[in-house]
Amino acid sequence: GVPTAIGVDLTPKLTHVAVADLSGKILDIESFETSPDERQMTFRIVESVRRLKSGYPNSALGLGISLPGITDAALGVARYIPYFKWRDWEIGRIVSNETGLPTTIDNDANAIGLAELWLGKERTPKVRNFITVLVADGIGTGIIFDGQVYRGEKGAAGEFGHMVVGRKGPTACSCGGFRCWEAYASETAMRARYLDGLNGQRTNSQGITVEELGNLAKKGDKVAIEAFEKTAEYLGIGISNLIVGFSPEEIVVSGDITKYWNLIEDHLYSTVEESIRKKLPRTTIRASSLEGGSTLMGAIGIVLARKFASAN
C-alpha cells in the first residue's frame, strides 16, 4: 500500500490519533477525551494506534507523538506535562514496544516546526531558519535551525513562554507566576482579559473558547475585540525578543488565534515594528499554513522528519 505515518496529538482536552499519507493528507482518525490518568492514556493510545495500524497493514513508516510539555525525544520520555503535572511518562518507549512501530515523541511546538518544514503550504524550500510560536493554553516555541530542531540540553530548549515580559499579567502562567509571556499572550490570557472587560456581568464565560471570542469580535463586541488586540500586542513583544535574539528568516504563529489573523495582525506587526532596530535583517511574520489542526500535523511531521531528515 501507500506509505503512511501515524500521528498522536495529545492536547489537554482531546487526543487525536491519525493515519496520514506522506503529503500530510489524513486517511483515518480517531479522537477521544484526554484523561488526567496517565496509565489510562497510555492504554488508550496503544489501543487506538493498533486499531488504525491494522487498517493499513505494513504501510506505516513510524509513529510520532506530539505532547504539550518538556520531552526527551532521545529517550522517548515526557519529562513534564504541566497541565496534568505528569512527570517522566515513558510514553514513547511503551508505545513503541507495544505496537512495534519506530516511535518518536516531541514537544508540540517543536512538532509544529517539523510539520512547517515538511508539510507547510506556504514554505519555500529555502527557509530553513525559523521559529514557530504555538499559542494555546500556554505558549510554546519550536526553533528550527538549518532544517533541524534545536533542542538544547535534555530537550528543554524553546521554553520562551516563560520569558519575563511584564510584572502582572491578566492570568497566572502554568508555572504559577504572573510575569511570563504565557501570562500575557496565551489563549488563557485572552480569556482572562475578556472576563475582566465584562466586570463580572457574565460568570459562565470561564470556559469560553477562542472561536466564541472570535465570533463575538466579528459581531463587533468591543470587549472581545480588545481582548484580541491586547493579546496580539503582547504576542508582538515576545516575538520582538525572539527576532532580536535569533534573527530568523521567519516567525510562524500557530494555534486557533490564527483563524482570526485579521483581528490581530495590525497590532502584532506594529508592536514588532516599534521594537526592532531598523538595521536588523527583516524577519517575515506569518500565520501557519498547516491544514487539519496544526498540532496533529506536527505529530505527522515528526515521522517525516525522522524518515527524511537523514536523507538531506
Side-chain angles (χ1 to χ4, degrees), residues 259-292:
K259 294 175 188 160
Y260 309 98
W261 196 247
N262 60 324
L263 289 172
I264 66 168
E265 61 180 337
D266 289 352
H267 283 72
L268 182 59
Y269 292 141
S270 61
T271 305
V272 173
E273 287 286 316
E274 279 167 34
S275 318
I276 304 293
R277 291 193 301 283
K278 297 292 176 269
K279 290 193 172 62
L280 284 178
R282 196 163 176 82
T283 297
T284 306
I285 303 168
R286 65 172 178 83
S288 172
S289 61
L290 295 172
E291 289 169 15

Side-chain angles (χ1 to χ4, degrees), residues 10 19 56 63 78 85 95 107 109 122 139 179 245 266 277 292:
L10 186 146
V19 182
Y56 295 84
L63 173 69
K85 309 282 188 278
V95 173
N107 151 286
E122 287 176 25
I139 288 184
R179 302 167 64 193
D266 289 352
R277 291 193 301 283

Side-chain angles (χ1 to χ4, degrees), residues 3 12 19 28 36 44 80 91 124 147 211 222 236 263 301 309:
V19 182
D28 203 350
R44 295 286 308 262
Y80 186 49
I91 182 65
T124 57
E211 210 165 350
K222 284 194 169 54
L263 289 172

Side-chain angles (χ1 to χ4, degrees), residues 33-193:
E33 275 184 34
T34 304
S35 158
D37 179 333
E38 62 195 273
R39 267 187 295 197
Q40 192 187 344
M41 283 307 295
T42 305
F43 176 77
R44 295 286 308 262
I45 289 169
V46 167
E47 289 297 289
S48 190
V49 169
R50 276 188 182 143
R51 255 197 313 275
L52 288 181
K53 183 184 169 210
S54 68
Y56 295 84
N58 307 320
S59 75
L61 299 173
L63 173 69
I65 305 177
S66 161
L67 299 166
I70 296 174
T71 58
D72 188 328
L75 295 178
V77 177
R79 290 283 170 223
Y80 186 49
I81 309 286
Y83 194 88
F84 295 114
K85 309 282 188 278
W86 295 343
R87 287 187 188 278
D88 298 324
W89 183 33
E90 297 190 353
I91 182 65
R93 192 181 59 74
I94 296 167
V95 173
S96 182
N97 288 346
E98 295 287 326
T99 64
L101 284 170
T103 300
T104 313
I105 71 170
D106 215 328
N107 151 286
D108 49 9
N110 285 347
I112 286 176
L114 291 170
E116 284 290 343
L117 191 65
W118 296 103
L119 300 166
K121 301 285 181 283
E122 287 176 25
R123 282 198 65 262
T124 57
K126 292 193 294 293
V127 178
R128 291 172 66 80
N129 297 301
F130 62 92
I131 299 175
T132 53
V133 176
L134 170 60
V135 181
D137 286 329
I139 288 184
T141 52
I143 306 161
I144 306 285
F145 279 154
D146 198 23
Q148 304 279 334
V149 174
Y150 175 70
R151 297 181 195 286
E153 281 299 302
K154 295 195 170 128
E159 288 293 300
F160 286 103
H162 300 295
M163 66 182 162
V164 174
V165 299
R167 291 205 171 276
K168 183 92 168 70
T171 188
C173 173
S174 62
C175 72
F178 282 85
R179 302 167 64 193
C180 303
W181 193 20
E182 276 191 11
Y184 284 87
S186 61
E187 286 182 3
T188 318
M190 187 158 77
R191 281 194 286 271
R193 282 197 181 94

